Amino acid sequence: MMDNGSTDNRGPSRTAMMAAAGRAAHLIVDRAPHLFQDTVAETLLGERAAELISYHREFGDHPVLSGTRSQVSARSHYTEARLAAGDFEQYLILGAGLDTFAYRSPLDARVAVYEVDHPATQAWKRELLAAAGIDVSTVEFVGVDFERDDLAAELTAHGFDVNRPALVSWLGVTMYLTESAIGATLGTLSDWAPGTELVMEYALLPELRDESGRVFAEFALAATAEQGEPMLSFFSPESVTALLDRHGFAVAEHISQHTAVDAALWQRADGLRPVDFCRLVRAHIPGRTRI
């Protein structure tokens, strides 16, 4: 199964809640200029919002909290900027968790949005959306159990066209999967239309992390394991490139948190700093040039 972390029938994903709380808290705890404007995350969290954001208010300088805010804000900034700059008509969010793009972005007027996640996660999210009175008419929910279901078939049944290029966002997920599971999903995506583009987040091998990444990992790895959502996969940029190459993708660039947003946004008066624990990779299926 796949989401921002994982979930099962026992309850919602803790890591999905932490990611949404980080995006919401960024606008409250950190000073302008903000890396990213998620104006819906706090509303979506509903009755849990005050509690989750309070941790950032009280302990916002803690490495795992400030690191989470920088991570979730930088990766969303980059991915949605890429969508805005392209001519994609389909936007596929793999492991959508509590992503809020479809409920706040003006881009939803020109792109068809598909949120893919485990059915239990989607049921939880739809309850939150309903409780918050948020319109869901701008998104197709595609519930997929990756151990049993065919991703392409499920998407096609919901109107997704595998023969037309799409931007595929895969954030906050691969570190919770085995490399074989990651490869299986890449194998499915590789059969889609040339020009399809993937923005995928991955966790770095220990020896490649900077000092802030090392400190973040010390806390985050223990916390996610304790919550029943352990991180399983770590890569170098070279090994990610090789993995994508084996599945027919051409890598355009690897992006650190520092380079995911405009450099001016890191000239800050607060303590928010980039953390080199996770990076993004942008790749496409050859046959149509992507700059």
Side-chain angles (χ1 to χ4, degrees), residues 71 75 170-177 179 182 200-209 213 216-217 220-221 224 230-240 254-255 257 275-281:
Q71 178 185 354
R75 74 191 186 192
W170 202 9
L171 308 178
V173 177
T174 65
M175 59 287 296
Y176 300 101
L177 303 176
E179 185 170 340
I182 297 167
M200 183 179 84
E201 185 178 28
Y202 62 94
L204 286 170
L205 290 166
E207 61 269 24
L208 299 179
R209 301 166 192 160
F216 179 84
L221 293 176
T224 56
M231 297 189 190
L232 302 175
S233 295
F234 305 91
F235 297 93
S236 67
E238 292 77 14
S239 63
V240 169
H254 290 265
I255 308 100
Q257 282 184 30
V275 176
D276 205 15
F277 174 68
C278 289
R279 293 186 187 174
L280 302 173
V281 60

Side-chain angles (χ1 to χ4, degrees), residues 118-224:
H118 190 276
T121 300
Q122 290 198 328
W124 164 57
K125 182 176 185 177
R126 296 188 77 163
E127 289 176 1
L128 293 176
L129 289 163
I134 295 173
D135 180 16
V136 299
S137 63
T138 56
V139 63
E140 283 287 333
F141 295 96
V142 185
V144 174
D145 183 335
F146 282 77
E147 295 179 358
R148 299 182 304 176
D149 299 332
D150 183 314
L151 173 60
E154 292 295 329
L155 280 166
T156 299
H158 285 79
F160 184 83
D161 187 350
V162 298
N163 297 309
R164 292 167 51 218
L167 179 66
V168 181
S169 166
W170 202 9
L171 308 178
V173 177
T174 65
M175 59 287 296
Y176 300 101
L177 303 176
T178 62
E179 185 170 340
S180 62
I182 297 167
T185 297
L186 292 175
T188 297
L189 300 180
S190 68
D191 290 332
W192 295 359
T196 292
E197 187 166 291
L198 170 68
V199 177
M200 183 179 84
E201 185 178 28
Y202 62 94
L204 286 170
L205 290 166
E207 61 269 24
L208 299 179
R209 301 166 192 160
D210 64 5
E211 179 60 17
S212 61
R214 184 194 66 76
V215 174
F216 179 84
E218 180 180 346
F219 290 100
L221 293 176
T224 56

Side-chain angles (χ1 to χ4, degrees), residues 65-81:
L65 293 176
S66 63
T68 295
R69 295 197 306 277
S70 64
Q71 178 185 354
V72 299
S73 299
R75 74 191 186 192
S76 294
H77 174 113
Y78 177 87
T79 305
E80 293 190 19

Side-chain angles (χ1 to χ4, degrees), residues 4 20-21 29 43 46 54 59 62 90 119-120 130 132 134 146 161 163 177 190 215 249 251 264 268:
N4 287 358
V29 175
T43 301
S54 72
F59 310 107
H62 189 285
Q90 301 183 110
I134 295 173
F146 282 77
D161 187 350
N163 297 309
L177 303 176
S190 68
V215 174
F249 283 86
V251 171
R268 310 189 60 81

